[in-house]
Amino acid sequence: MSFIGPTGSGKTRLALQLLARSVSDDLTGYITVMKAKDKTVGEFLAQHDRWKRTLTFPPPPRAPGMPKVNGWVVWPHHTNDPAADEIRHERVFKEMHKRLYVKGDNIIFDDEVVSLVREMDMKRDLTRIWTKGRSLGSGLWGATQRPAMVPLEMYDQAQHLFLANIKDKRSQDRFGEIAGVDPDLVVDVVRRLPKFHWLYIRQEAGQMCVVGP
Ligand SMILES: Nc1ncnc2c1ncn2[C@@H]1O[C@H](COP(=O)(O)OP(=O)(O)O)[C@@H](O)[C@H]1O
Ligand SMILES: [Mg+2]
């Protein structure tokens, strides 16, 4: 599932709403958070007691008597040394993707795909999960504000795409990589979407509709 739109368009909030409804005792959610602060994720954690933050991966074992966790927000801490943080974060996120992908029974939501690809050098890790993860029982969800900089698989392997209002030409050019729908129509609809509205595309069926808040 792919969420594509500029900063503040509601990607994180929509993805978290859907994720909270998609996980269960048998299907665990994992969210990667790279920013030092994210109000939307912070609010989500405060509102969902079956979701916990972990600074590392794997998450700490469940203490006796603690209810089962439906999801983990993998959100390493930030210090005043960004370069060292980046190395540490890269280790955590790579380990997480490597392990979860073969384990299956999970949904991984990468909330900032461009940062993973460009800062953490994770293009291959993501591409592997996007192309093979489904058959192993892993779902990979991704959000990005810069669609021109993400791997092609974020489009052509997505069963479900949510596109917010995007006006720049480079981003619109990627719409040609969505199967079964007319890219000119997609461009035309997307650039007229009001705030917090999405063009939802079900790629396999070549179907689309506009959804509101
Ligand atoms: N459907 C909505 N209705 C009202 N407010 C929304 C909606 N979706 C998002 N917001 C608010 O807009 C802000 C940005 O949303 P967020 O999901 O963090 O955007 P993004 O991840 O695309 O940067 C947040 O304060 C969020 O609560
Ligand atoms: Mg966000």
Side-chain angles (χ1 to χ4, degrees), residues 5-14 17 35 38-41 43 111 145 195-196 198 212-213:
T7 305
S9 58
K11 298 181 297 296
T12 303
R13 184 165 128 158
L14 174 63
Q17 280 180 347
K35 283 184 274 186
D38 189 309
K39 196 167 146 271
T40 304
V41 178
E43 284 170 4
D111 196 16
Q145 65 205 36
K195 197 157 174 69
F196 302 137
W198 301 89

Side-chain angles (χ1 to χ4, degrees), residues 133-146:
R134 208 187 296 174
S135 60
L136 288 169
S138 278
L140 188 68
W141 297 16
T144 188
Q145 65 205 36
R146 291 149 93 189

